[in-house]
Amino acid sequence: MLLSSEELGALFRDFERSAFRMETHQTYTMPSEQAGLQRFLAGEPKPDEHNAGWTATVRANVAAGKTMQRLKVVRRPFTDYTRFLFAWAIPGNVDAGEDYRILDLTDSAMHLPEQDFWLFDDTTVALLNFTEDGVLRDRELVDASELDTYRRWRDLALAEAVPFGEYRP
């Protein structure tokens, strides 16, 4: 079942314990990030308000006793987008309380599908489907019968990932 942005937003409002995101693509082409990416690539300083909406969401959820965790799969050499995330986005997310992990698959034989998803409360999976060039195509609610697959992918990836602050490429 396809999810609207409002329905995905409701999952963020309504989850009770945990939200986990698996990010597998090396480049995302999100309209809301393009100006920031261009400023980063031009060597401009990061604006104070960069990513403020997301970090406010993370802070509110963490203050309510919920956990927010993300795992970013990377491969070297890094794309411009990954360098942008590492410099401008991830540090603020971590400061806000998000447990951000890095899984470097550059020299790894581990196979994970290139499927981004959110797992809420270990009971609800929302797929984020992207085009080859990183444009969000749609969001999709996964049938409950498939939950174990996504939990397994999460657990496999987390077992090999390191906290962002400890990652050394």
Side-chain angles (χ1 to χ4, degrees):
M1 175 177 94
L2 292 182
L3 292 171
S4 67
S5 59
E6 293 80 17
E7 290 167 321
L8 182 62
L11 290 172
F12 280 103
R13 278 192 315 275
D14 299 340
F15 80 92
E16 296 176 3
R17 295 175 312 284
S18 64
F20 169 83
R21 166 83 187 267
M22 175 92 80
E23 286 184 351
T24 63
H25 295 275
Q26 303 307 295
T27 298
Y28 295 91
T29 310
M30 305 301 288
S32 62
E33 293 179 331
Q34 293 312 294
L37 176 60
Q38 293 310 310
R39 291 167 82 174
F40 167 77
L41 292 174
E44 295 178 23
K46 179 176 79 168
D48 291 338
E49 73 280 358
H50 178 77
N51 214 21
W54 179 252
T55 56
T57 296
V58 171
R59 280 190 184 94
N61 282 317
V62 170
K66 302 174 186 181
T67 61
M68 297 195 70
Q69 186 175 50
R70 190 181 310 231
L71 185 137
K72 172 70 179 145
V73 173
V74 298
R75 291 178 180 83
R76 290 173 270 123
F78 292 151
T79 63
D80 288 343
Y81 186 84
T82 297
R83 291 185 313 102
F84 166 68
L85 280 182
F86 276 36
W88 279 31
I90 298 174
N93 293 6
V94 170
D95 288 346
E98 188 170 17
D99 177 11
Y100 218 111
R101 305 287 172 134
I102 304 298
L103 177 60
D104 191 330
L105 293 182
T106 303
D107 299 317
S108 174
M110 178 186 288
H111 176 73
L112 289 171
E114 288 197 23
Q115 177 62 63
D116 284 34
F117 63 91
W118 278 101
L119 175 59
F120 297 96
D121 292 331
D122 242 13
T123 62
T124 304
V125 174
L127 301 181
L128 304 174
N129 299 313
F130 292 89
T131 62
E132 285 289 321
D133 59 350
V135 175
L136 181 63
R137 190 177 61 239
D138 58 40
R139 301 155 212 85
E140 183 180 354
L141 191 62
V142 171
D143 186 87
S145 66
E146 298 178 49
L147 279 172
D148 285 342
T149 298
Y150 294 91
R151 290 179 189 136
R152 197 168 35 256
W153 289 341
R154 175 204 55 200
D155 295 345
L156 177 66
L158 282 173
E160 299 296 323
V162 298
F164 174 71
E166 296 175 18
Y167 176 66
R168 303 291 177 261

